[in-house]
Amino acid sequence: MNVSVGLLEGQAAVEVDLTGTFTDTNGKTYRPGRYSLTSELTLNPSDPASCAFALDDITIGIGFHWERKERQVFRGALRLIKRAAGLTVINDVPLEDYVTSVISSEMSASCPLEMLKAHAVISRSWLRFPKDKPAPVGKAGKTFDSHEILRWYGREAHPDFDVCADDHCQRYQGITKAFSPAAAAAVRATAGEFLRYRGVICDARFSKCCGGITERYSTAWEDEAIPYLESIYDGPTQSGFHSPETWIRSSPPAYCNTDDADLLSRVLPGFDQETRDFYRWQVAYTPEELADLISMRLGADLGPIREIAALARGPSGRIYRLKVIGERDYIIIGKELEIRRALSRTHLYSSAFVVDKEVGRFVLHGAGWGHGVGLCQIGAAAMANEGQTYTAILQHYYRRTTVSA
């Protein structure tokens, strides 16, 4: 099985560096070198194991705080198709090569082996899930009236390719990140394996750090109860009940509550290592700064902000209905990603936060990094580092599931 991955869209021309010899569908040979391509074309490598192509200025982390451009290198076929907005660049690559790249892009290839195995299974499962049960696609949601926005972002339909290469789908950065023997071994050891619930391939969601408690599916997406995407405590045992206020303001033990520098350096890709306050974090805004953000993000003129109030939270403390009151008007925002977008020029780490109103500013105290649904990448790495197997890790985060071909 091949996977078609969208790398770039809307290009007037594509500058590509070829390593090794490629051939187009008419039999024309493209020898190693730099080419400027302006029309539809498919280039197939003469030797898939050694030939590669490189593209400059590929944007990663689109819209998030780590957004930047990179030069990236890919194996497999290079395909260009022309659309009204310009050229779309697609990489056609075998499934297991795609999974190897994903687990080396989402996490560092030097991760503990059992973590890489777990991620190989869920990355493969997430890709294949829509074939078993079509997932909601595109941007969904509704505006109830002029004062309430409820919006979530499902798996976007990509009519020209299977998946995009950025965090919106799964990170895929070709062979740019150094593949370790462990990454290749993890894919070989789990080849053809999928996460299943009652025999059906799972919609295996994951995020960087749950903040100590994972979130249920319906907090981030449509109001649907998915049995294997329920909230669980990210640790072996939980002592007592904690309110969201108490939970977020404290730093309780959990698998993902780690400051082990050696583990994090082996788990996180280089640019992710710049984010060290992932378990608990803090940001502050003046009332005017918040008003500007709401205006820029949502087009709502509220005036200087007077109050921020959580109307509904999920089990992890993530807010999925938030009321923001200004001097002139108010707005209610949902769900979790829309809240994260509205209150930041990029994205808040998560929507699990509590607010202190101080003189001249609002201080947001937050927990976790990402939507928190499904596998917690840092928590799973900590479990693997303790010697737990990939099947134990998967059963911890996705209850009542099995792993099979």
Side-chain angles (χ1 to χ4, degrees), residues 78-259:
L78 168 65
R79 182 157 50 98
L80 275 63
I81 59 176
K82 182 163 281 189
R83 293 293 179 257
L87 292 170
T88 296
V89 184
I90 298 169
N91 181 201
D92 295 315
V93 64
L95 171 62
E96 298 305 293
D97 290 349
Y98 167 79
V99 173
T100 304
S101 175
V102 167
I103 66 173
S104 301
S105 304
E106 284 283 350
M107 308 299 288
S108 171
S110 59
C111 257
L113 177 61
E114 294 301 306
M115 167 57 182
L116 292 173
K117 288 182 183 178
H119 219 305
V121 172
I122 63 174
S123 292
R124 196 181 289 119
S125 302
W126 181 88
L127 178 72
R128 287 290 303 275
F129 169 74
K131 292 179 170 55
D132 289 78
K133 177 175 180 284
V137 297
K139 182 164 62 176
K142 52 191 173 183
T143 301
F144 289 104
D145 55 37
S146 61
H147 290 100
E148 181 162 3
I149 294 173
L150 179 66
R151 184 176 294 137
W152 58 92
Y153 297 80
R155 180 167 177 171
E156 184 177 333
H158 296 299
D160 292 321
F161 43 85
D162 296 324
V163 288
C164 68
D166 199 41
D167 294 76
H168 174 266
C169 287
Q170 298 186 110
R171 287 182 188 171
Y172 171 78
Q173 296 164 1
I175 59 172
T176 309
K177 302 298 183 284
F179 288 171
S180 69
V187 174
R188 286 196 303 271
T190 64
E193 290 186 350
F194 297 93
L195 188 71
R196 297 179 182 272
Y197 179 77
R198 295 183 176 177
V200 177
I201 294 176
C202 293
D203 185 5
R205 306 290 172 118
F206 55 87
S207 68
K208 191 65 66 182
C209 174
C210 67
I213 300 177
T214 70
E215 191 49 76
R216 65 189 174 209
Y217 177 88
S218 59
T219 297
W221 296 284
E222 62 268 50
D223 295 328
E224 178 182 354
I226 297 181
Y228 55 84
L229 294 178
E230 290 294 334
S231 178
I232 60 104
Y233 168 62
D234 191 30
T237 57
Q238 183 174 4
S239 57
F241 171 79
H242 301 279
S243 69
E245 183 90 9
T246 303
W247 179 262
I248 292 170
R249 291 186 185 278
S250 63
S251 184
Y255 289 130
C256 59
N257 184 4
T258 179
D259 57 4

Side-chain angles (χ1 to χ4, degrees), residues 332-350:
I332 297 172
I333 312 164
K335 290 188 173 183
E336 70 88 29
L337 186 57
E338 193 70 0
I339 293 168
R340 292 165 61 194
R341 289 182 69 253
L343 300 186
S344 172
R345 293 192 179 278
T346 55
H347 289 71
L348 287 180
Y349 286 180
S350 82

Side-chain angles (χ1 to χ4, degrees), residues 2 267 284:
N2 274 4
V267 167

Side-chain angles (χ1 to χ4, degrees), residues 309-322:
L311 302 183
R313 293 182 184 268
S316 74
R318 283 169 170 80
I319 304 167
Y320 61 93
R321 285 188 78 227
L322 180 76

